[in-house]
Amino acid sequence: MSYEFILTETRGRVGLVTLNRPQAMNALNNKLILELMDALETFDNDNGIGAMVVTGNEKAFAAGADIKEMADKSVTEMMDRDHVAAFGRILKIQKPVIAAVSGYALGGGCEIAMSCDMIVASESAKFGQPEITIGVIPGAGGTQRLTRAVGKAIAMEMILNNRTLSAQEALQFGLVNRVVPNERYLDEALKLADEIASRPPVAVRVAKKMINQAYERTLTDALHVERQEFYNLFATEDQKEGMKAFVEKRKPEWKGK
């Protein structure tokens, strides 16, 4: 499929989506968000893909929402269009999604990165939620995901007072998985995605679901569901193959079933 504001390609079993509005620092207009979600859903439904990477360019992952698109909107217009709802579609993606971030990841850009399952950052990456400077607050998960990732104190400072985190600060506070030189950040994210894509597909999807549910369920309930999901995997061909290969001291051949 041809898109206007993103580029897509496959690298083996990895689907790569590149935000492509360089003249606007990859500002997130409504069409770009819809195209991004469509591409991720397409990869998610492709049995040949095991993981995905979302990236921008070296200067900007995404420098925020397209303010020109929403500046004159009323409450009713914003609610009727529900621009933010499109962000929520990423939560339904079953396969792992890795954000490869360089340069600015601000506002909606930071929210997209945090909606992914992991973040690989370049040394020049900068994370922030500057919505307070234009009279609003983050509306696509920023107040919630950021607080869960970095803790209340840092989230308060970032959201209330426009503090921006450097890549090393983001690593220190647990927002990103790793920081690598600018020239390697995309390769590192693709490598990580490729490694995950080589794992048993059904178990990977179940593991992702259960980790995300750790934020939604009580511990007692989550432990019960985790145990049942563990037992359920014994009905898969991959479980039989994985354990047989372990006993036979060979590399498993996953079927995704």
Side-chain angles (χ1 to χ4, degrees):
M1 181 179 291
S2 178
Y3 296 106
E4 182 178 358
F5 294 125
I6 65 170
L7 304 173
T8 62
E9 60 180 293
T10 58
R11 305 278 186 95
R13 284 183 50 78
V14 177
L16 174 62
V17 183
T18 303
L19 309 184
N20 190 38
R21 289 189 75 201
Q23 75 285 356
M25 300 288 280
N26 289 333
L28 303 170
N29 62 15
N30 194 55
K31 188 171 184 181
L32 186 154
I33 292 295
L34 292 174
E35 289 182 351
L36 170 61
M37 298 308 161
D38 181 78
L40 291 177
E41 289 165 355
T42 299
F43 282 138
D44 203 34
N45 292 321
D46 185 344
N47 290 333
I49 297 296
M52 290 157 265
V53 172
V54 177
T55 193
N57 57 53
E58 191 169 318
K59 291 183 179 179
F61 176 76
D66 191 333
I67 305 305
K68 293 179 181 179
E69 190 177 62
M70 65 179 72
D72 296 326
K73 296 290 189 295
S74 67
V75 172
T76 301
E77 288 173 321
M78 289 297 289
M79 292 180 68
D80 285 347
R81 190 168 187 179
D82 206 358
H83 169 81
V84 174
F87 283 74
R89 287 166 59 184
I90 200 169
L91 298 177
K92 298 180 181 179
I93 301 298
Q94 297 183 62
K95 298 171 185 174
V97 183
I98 299 168
V101 176
S102 187
Y104 294 106
L106 305 177
C110 188
E111 289 173 310
I112 286 290
M114 291 190 295
S115 295
C116 295
D117 302 303
M118 288 162 274
I119 302 175
V120 174
S122 80
E123 293 174 329
S124 69
K126 297 183 183 300
F127 298 87
Q129 298 287 168
E131 287 87 347
I132 200 75
T133 66
I134 55 172
V136 293
I137 66 170
T143 64
Q144 304 305 301
R145 291 194 181 93
L146 187 63
T147 304
R148 285 167 168 77
V150 305
K152 176 183 174 181
I154 300 301
M156 283 285 189
E157 191 173 357
M158 292 178 69
I159 294 170
L160 273 61
N161 203 37
N162 192 27
R163 175 177 175 177
T164 300
L165 296 187
S166 68
Q168 288 297 333
E169 287 175 320
L171 181 65
Q172 174 188 345
F173 295 130
L175 184 60
V176 306
N177 291 73
R178 62 195 67 171
V179 176
V180 297
N182 286 12
E183 64 272 15
R184 284 180 41 216
Y185 80 98
L186 180 55
D187 287 340
E188 189 72 15
L190 289 167
K191 178 184 176 184
L192 177 59
D194 186 60
E195 290 172 350
I196 294 170
S198 73
R199 309 296 183 184
V202 179
V204 166
R205 293 195 298 270
V206 172
K208 169 178 170 170
K209 180 180 75 172
M210 289 311 305
I211 292 167
N212 285 331
Q213 287 190 14
Y215 293 104
E216 306 294 334
R217 298 176 179 269
T218 65
L219 180 58
T220 299
D221 185 33
L223 289 172
H224 172 76
V225 177
E226 179 193 62
R227 183 167 62 249
Q228 188 58 55
E229 292 287 6
F230 168 72
Y231 293 146
N232 289 344
L233 286 169
F234 280 75
T236 66
E237 293 182 22
D238 282 348
Q239 174 270 325
K240 300 296 184 286
E241 167 64 9
M243 293 191 178
K244 183 178 180 182
F246 178 84
V247 171
E248 296 176 353
K249 296 181 171 54
R250 62 174 174 81
K251 186 176 180 180
E253 297 181 7
W254 308 120
K255 304 296 184 184
K257 299 178 182 179

